[in-house]
Amino acid sequence: MAAAIPAAMERLIRMLSRLPGVGEKTATRFAFHIIEQPPEYAEGLARALSDSRREVGWCSRCFGLSESPLCPLCADPSRDDSTVCVVEGVPDQVAIDRTGAYRGRYHVLHGSLAPLRGMGPDDLRLKPLADRVLAGGVKEVIVATNVDVEGEATALYIRRLLEPSGVRVTRIASGVPMGGDLEFMDQITLSRALECRREM
Ligand SMILES: [Zn+2]
């Protein structure tokens, strides 16, 4: 990098450019923006970064984000324990919950089955899902993985995994366009996909 850029700033640019979707050019722009702000801005940013890493972890039940052993969605006594909605990631959980159309519990897999990318069943939170269902009290599992090849393969795997439990397994309606990521779907489409779920 140019000698005009101090080493500390180069380190900042290097760290920022590791963020998804941020190349060196954007990272450099971010770094200059940070340097141009009052010192309190950089201090606040640094604090938010380290606090989030230290205080935010995974919920022990649904594997969503949480600052305590149980996340607010799992701890909320008004939610329906008999329905579990399975999603690939936290952004999907957020998108579904924002619709307000679903009042059950969640289970976050942290990915989808993708053998070509080396993602097998053991890389997802599938065993804890089976354990949750086998523990009893769950009547329906709604599989809300993305409507794409990997999401469908994951859904089929879950159906087979839960077959011995006898629990009802449903899939969100595929009226949603193929390749559509749940997190980018509008609330009405997502509510409808949930409402029109079908047996698997
Ligand atoms: Zn939770």
Side-chain angles (χ1 to χ4, degrees), residues 4-189:
I5 296 183
M9 190 136 169
E10 265 189 51
R11 279 198 299 278
L12 175 61
I13 293 168
R14 215 166 36 240
M15 291 305 286
L16 290 170
S17 65
R18 283 167 59 180
L19 291 167
V22 177
E24 196 182 306
K25 209 170 139 188
T26 307
T28 306
R29 212 174 68 228
F30 284 169
F32 274 100
H33 176 78
I34 292 166
I35 295 299
E36 282 160 5
Q37 304 302 305
E40 300 79 51
Y41 178 80
E43 280 154 23
L45 181 63
R47 214 166 28 246
L49 285 171
S50 59
D51 285 358
S52 67
R53 193 62 192 89
R54 194 176 52 245
E55 290 165 22
V56 180
W58 306 121
C59 170
S60 62
R61 189 168 300 160
C62 74
F63 298 99
L65 290 173
S66 188
E67 289 181 310
S68 49
L70 272 192
C71 75
L73 292 168
C74 286
D76 182 351
S78 75
R79 298 191 74 108
D80 174 17
D81 283 322
S82 72
T83 315
V84 175
C85 180
V86 181
V87 291
E88 290 182 19
V90 172
D92 305 322
Q93 184 187 26
V94 172
I96 290 174
D97 218 64
R98 213 171 24 212
T99 67
Y102 179 71
R103 294 290 300 160
R105 306 290 182 186
Y106 291 94
H107 191 90
V108 185
L109 294 172
H110 291 270
S112 56
L113 288 178
L116 294 177
R117 285 191 288 112
M119 287 289 276
D122 293 341
D123 300 306
L124 306 178
R125 301 295 206 286
L126 284 163
K127 171 102 181 23
L129 172 66
D131 291 345
R132 264 180 95 176
V133 171
L134 286 171
V138 178
K139 292 200 185 86
E140 181 184 358
V141 171
I142 303 171
V143 185
T145 50
N146 285 343
V147 187
D148 56 18
V149 176
E150 293 174 0
E152 292 300 336
T154 311
L156 286 172
Y157 187 93
I158 291 170
R159 193 199 60 188
R160 277 200 299 271
L161 178 74
L162 300 181
E163 216 150 44
S165 70
V167 75
R168 186 178 169 216
V169 180
T170 55
R171 179 85 174 102
I172 52 163
S174 55
V176 291
M178 284 294 276
D181 277 358
L182 253 64
E183 61 171 302
F184 301 121
M185 247 171 240
D186 67 84
Q187 296 190 12
I188 293 163
T189 309

